[in-house]
Amino acid sequence: MCGIIGYIGKRKVVPVLIDGLKRMEYRGYDSAGLAYIRDGEIVAVKSMGKIARLEQQLQDVDAESHIGVAHTRWATHGEPNEKNAHPHLDCTGRIAVVHNGIVENYRALRKYLQKQGHRFTTETDTEVIAHLIEEYYKKDIPFIDALTSALLQIEGTYGLAILNADEPNKLYAARHGSPVIIGKGEKENFVASDAAAIIRYTNRVIYLNEGEVAEVTDDGFEIFTLRKDRVKPEVQKLTMTLQELEKGGYPHFMLKEIFEQPATVRNSFRGRLNLEMGTARLNGLKSHLDVIEKLKRIVITACGTSWHAALIGEYLIEELARIPVEVEYASEFRYRSPVLDDGTAVFVISQSGETADTLAALREAHNQGVSVFGIVNVVGSTIARETDAGVYIHAGPEIGVASTKAFTSQITVLALTALMLGRRRGIVSTERGYELASHLAKIPEKIKWILDSQTANIKKIAEKYHKKNNALFLGRGINFPVALEGALKLKEISYIHAEGYPAAEMKHGPIALIDENMPVFFIAIDDLMYKKVVSNIEEVRSRKGKVIAIATLGNEEIRRYADDVVYIPETDYLLSPLLTVIPMQLFAYYTAVLRGCSIDQPRNLAKSVTVE
Ligand code: F6R
């Protein structure tokens, strides 16, 4: 969602803020703005669209200022125009606020503040925060007191960075429901919603906890609760590197991340596979294994691509460990009073570890007294910290808004979990465990084979179909969720309407859509359902649909049925999603390139959805 950054210290502030915003642009990109203090006054500059436009506006400004805040926006309240871009100021123009989150009671607060004489200039929920602080900031009241009093009135979520022109040597930050970190430097300090914004300058960070406020100067900071109790900060070291945040010669982060998958999948299982014993070891879950292996039911909850990974996890865990699994959209789970009885545990899956719906589901599960385990990418994220235990997927920073490498790493960790549970429960034999573990160990080289030998072919297929308005993705069994993921990828970045379906369900409705303009992707690998899938292909062909088959290397027969074929190497059926999804990611990518779409920052989307 929105990205925020604040800086105070020895450097000129504008370049630091612009650099930080660029590294967070993937969080939101419909407008951007910054504010700094110069000669005791706040100067605010805003712009519609991407950070580059804001940068252009500032190119002749050589501001001698060393304190400021900035924001990249994904609109929630109010159109994404210049006026509604952050920072938002109070009536005096001496308090500037950048905000990630939603003020749910902003209408009531706005009405109240208007009655007190405050003049509003935007349609945003955030502007009430600036005016509310102003309302409390009276003679003899310290700013920090005005700030905490204002925050106590706010319902909703916030990650905030705030300037007060009366205190040009202090930066304020606060957190409730949206992540905020403080970066600790030498004679300089940072506030940010995202480690990517500050890693260039420091890797020492403090994660603010819910309901905490920070007062930051260039050589230190103090953290309080909203009731003004002092909090002892815990400094942690970030593991991400600047290099991981660069495109490394690729035209887009998405393509880089697709091509990183041989390495990222390997990182997900590195040190976790025990070939000899035919099992896996997940230290993050170690102290809870006695409970997990006896579970009567597992509920996995997540959103979007992570939800698709969860569906694959359902197949894996049920097949290998024979524990019943249910998969729930996190956004639905929290509102439908789920039954979480004894013997049930919840797993949450999230790349960012900040998705508001998933976090709310986690909290709902905790409220009901069940254990919650996490499968998360971003180290130190809120979900990672609030779960009882969990496993990091180690995919490294994912910047492209369309999730790719996180998906394959999530599946890898789910496969490890299922294998480990299956072995512990005595359902998977050592031989079968060995077989699966060996297949998993070979997945990186097989992904590489697809990338090396099929990319040109997929590009051609994209050339053929990129002007179509619709597409269908069909798969069966464990590859049905991959069909959903293929459709989601295409929708997200190329804006082509696409549907994913279980192949056999097609005849119960979607078949009505088939004509010569409909490309239909079939996952038709050599598994138990291959023959049935071929029958489904025939049904499409006889209605003149165009068939693109993702088939097992060596299957020449499929060419008789399909207009185009993309091959993947053979692997264990249970691990096949790790391969079948790669052509779909590439197809979505090249289609979007040909359609001139914004690959890493598709319209209306944000990388980390921190509002409900
Ligand atoms: C799709 C995509 C989204 C996310 C979803 C959950 O490409 O990126 O659908 O998967 O917003 O995000 P996380 O995994 O960060 O909780």
Side-chain angles (χ1 to χ4, degrees):
M1 217 89 296
C2 310
I4 62 173
I5 176 169
Y7 175 78
I8 182 163
K10 58 197 178 198
R11 301 170 208 260
K12 282 191 180 173
V13 74
V14 171
V16 177
L17 296 179
I18 291 288
D19 179 66
L21 286 182
K22 281 187 181 162
R23 298 201 183 274
M24 290 188 297
E25 193 162 31
Y26 68 98
R27 292 183 74 103
Y29 33 79
D30 41 43
S31 55
L34 56 77
Y36 53 87
I37 303 180
R38 197 182 54 200
D39 304 331
E41 304 286 337
I42 287 181
V43 181
V45 184
K46 306 179 185 192
S47 156
M48 231 185 105
K50 306 225 162 159
I51 313 297
R53 271 178 76 173
L54 178 69
E55 189 177 22
Q56 216 169 11
Q57 238 169 288
L58 285 157
Q59 70 185 1
D60 299 325
V61 177
D62 181 24
E64 198 40 71
S65 169
H66 298 265
I67 175 169
V69 295
H71 187 269
T72 175
R73 179 167 189 245
W74 185 86
T76 58
H77 292 70
E79 250 183 74
N81 57 24
E82 193 172 313
K83 188 180 68 174
N84 289 336
H86 298 214
H88 291 293
L89 306 180
D90 68 326
C91 299
T92 65
R94 297 188 62 74
I95 299 169
V97 175
V98 291
H99 170 218
N100 175 22
I102 290 184
V103 180
E104 283 167 2
N105 59 339
Y106 86 101
R107 280 181 213 282
L109 289 172
R110 188 175 165 123
K111 223 170 175 179
Y112 162 76
L113 288 162
Q114 277 169 331
K115 271 201 192 131
Q116 307 307 308
H118 292 264
R119 295 173 322 276
F120 282 77
T121 55
T122 76
E123 297 141 23
T124 65
D125 55 333
T126 302
E127 195 184 351
V128 299
I129 303 177
H131 291 281
L132 199 56
I133 301 170
E134 178 192 9
E135 180 65 18
Y136 283 106
Y137 187 40
K138 299 274 154 65
K139 198 162 174 279
D140 299 332
I141 307 262
F143 187 77
I144 182 83
D145 290 357
L147 173 60
T148 50
S149 302
L151 295 182
L152 284 167
Q153 304 303 314
I154 290 173
E155 289 165 21
T157 55
Y158 53 78
L160 295 168
I162 300 163
L163 293 180
N164 171 19
D166 294 342
E167 295 178 290
N169 301 317
K170 256 185 207 164
L171 185 65
Y172 291 88
R175 169 194 174 137
H176 179 71
S178 301
V180 175
I181 56 174
I182 297 173
K184 204 168 152 4
E186 295 301 324
K187 284 258 165 264
E188 61 183 352
N189 284 307
F190 303 79
V191 166
S193 53
D194 195 319
I198 60 171
I199 188 70
R200 177 168 173 190
Y201 308 101
T202 180
N203 63 1
R204 287 180 304 154
V205 298
I206 295 94
Y207 293 93
L208 282 195
N209 290 311
E210 296 293 288
E212 286 180 358
V213 181
E215 225 179 44
V216 185
T217 61
D218 59 356
D219 66 352
F221 54 87
E222 288 196 86
I223 301 177
F224 306 94
T225 64
L226 289 184
R227 301 283 171 202
K228 292 287 301 294
D229 295 323
R230 221 171 272 264
V231 176
K232 194 165 174 275
E234 190 193 330
V235 181
Q236 303 194 25
K237 212 164 164 202
L238 292 171
T239 48
M240 89 176 34
T241 64
L242 194 58
Q243 206 187 2
E244 287 175 320
L245 301 171
E246 310 277 351
K247 284 193 203 134
Y250 286 92
H252 300 102
F253 280 110
M254 184 180 176
L255 191 63
K256 176 188 173 217
E257 288 157 7
I258 291 173
F259 274 79
E260 272 174 355
Q261 289 175 108
T264 50
V265 165
R266 191 181 296 287
N267 287 343
S268 303
F269 67 66
R270 191 191 304 280
R272 291 169 166 175
L273 270 183
N274 182 339
L275 279 177
E276 220 167 282
M277 304 296 288
T279 190
R281 185 175 43 230
L282 293 167
N283 286 340
L285 296 178
K286 202 160 135 197
S287 48
H288 292 73
L289 277 181
D290 289 345
V291 174
I292 298 175
E293 73 182 26
K294 293 195 192 82
L295 287 172
K296 296 208 171 60
R297 175 173 163 252
I298 291 175
V299 175
I300 315 181
T301 182
C303 303
T305 289
S306 299
W307 183 78
H308 296 155
L311 290 175
I312 292 169
E314 178 179 13
Y315 282 89
L316 286 164
I317 295 171
E318 291 199 342
E319 173 81 26
L320 295 174
R322 307 303 299 155
I323 301 174
V325 177
E326 276 164 49
V327 177
E328 294 258 11
Y329 281 116
S331 52
E332 293 297 317
F333 176 84
R334 59 169 307 202
Y335 286 114
R336 59 164 208 88
S337 77
V339 179
L340 298 173
D341 38 18
D342 264 4
T344 299
V346 171
F347 277 69
V348 292
I349 306 181
S350 175
Q351 186 286 126
S352 61
E354 302 293 349
T355 301
D357 287 321
T358 312
L359 187 56
L362 183 173
R363 289 176 180 161
E364 169 65 26
H366 269 164
N367 284 342
Q368 291 206 32
V370 301
S371 302
V372 185
F373 304 108
I375 295 179
V376 172
N377 191 30
V378 177
V379 177
S381 55
T382 311
I383 290 176
R385 289 185 304 135
E386 288 199 15
T387 40
D388 297 287
V391 185
Y392 282 119
I393 63 170
H394 297 313
E398 190 177 66
I399 310 288
V401 164
S403 185
T404 52
K405 63 175 182 172
F407 181 67
T408 44
S409 286
Q410 288 165 343
I411 298 171
T412 304
V413 166
L414 286 161
L416 294 171
T417 309
L419 173 60
M420 179 186 70
L421 291 176
R423 290 285 293 127
R424 287 179 72 98
R425 286 165 61 87
I427 289 158
V428 175
S429 66
T430 316
E431 294 70 36
R432 175 73 178 122
Y434 172 81
E435 194 177 81
L436 272 168
S438 327
H439 273 295
L440 187 53
K442 288 194 193 108
I443 289 288
E445 66 200 58
K446 292 183 180 174
I447 296 179
K448 186 165 183 316
W449 183 89
I450 301 170
L451 295 170
D452 290 347
S453 72
Q454 299 297 295
T455 299
N457 177 22
I458 295 165
K459 232 176 184 169
K460 275 202 194 118
I461 299 172
E463 272 159 24
K464 213 157 143 184
Y465 297 112
H466 74 278
K467 293 208 172 117
K468 301 286 180 204
N469 294 323
N470 297 287
L472 272 181
F473 289 78
L474 306 176
R476 298 191 76 154
I478 202 164
N479 280 299
F480 155 53
V482 179
L484 295 178
E485 176 62 7
L488 178 64
K489 287 286 90 79
L490 192 65
K491 278 187 267 210
E492 278 182 302
I493 60 164
S494 75
Y495 318 141
I496 293 176
H497 170 242
E499 302 269 0
Y501 255 88
E505 270 294 302
M506 186 190 56
K507 56 186 176 295
H508 298 289
I511 198 161
L513 298 168
I514 310 281
D515 63 15
E516 67 281 9
N517 287 315
M518 179 67 91
V520 186
F521 284 78
F522 275 94
I523 303 174
I525 55 170
D526 291 356
D527 59 16
L528 280 178
M529 276 168 298
Y530 173 72
K531 288 247 149 60
K532 307 267 176 217
V533 174
V534 168
S535 307
N536 300 141
I537 292 179
E538 295 277 29
E539 288 155 16
V540 167
R541 270 169 59 84
S542 57
R543 287 159 183 86
K544 298 198 170 58
K546 303 285 178 260
V547 172
I548 303 108
I550 294 165
T552 308
L553 185 59
N555 178 355
E556 287 301 320
E557 177 220 49
I558 191 104
R559 291 195 182 278
R560 277 198 266 141
Y561 312 107
D563 295 274
D564 296 281
V565 181
V566 180
Y567 284 112
I568 61 158
E570 196 180 357
T571 186
D572 192 283
Y573 163 74
L574 288 177
L575 302 174
S576 59
L578 290 165
L579 303 182
T580 52
V581 75
I582 309 291
M584 307 214 169
Q585 296 171 342
L586 286 168
F587 177 76
Y589 172 78
Y590 286 112
T591 302
V593 169
L594 288 163
R595 288 167 70 94
C597 298
S598 172
I599 306 290
D600 289 329
Q601 292 156 359
R603 71 183 179 207
N604 305 340
L605 292 175
K607 184 68 186 161
S608 156
V609 185
T610 52
V611 293
E612 287 168 35

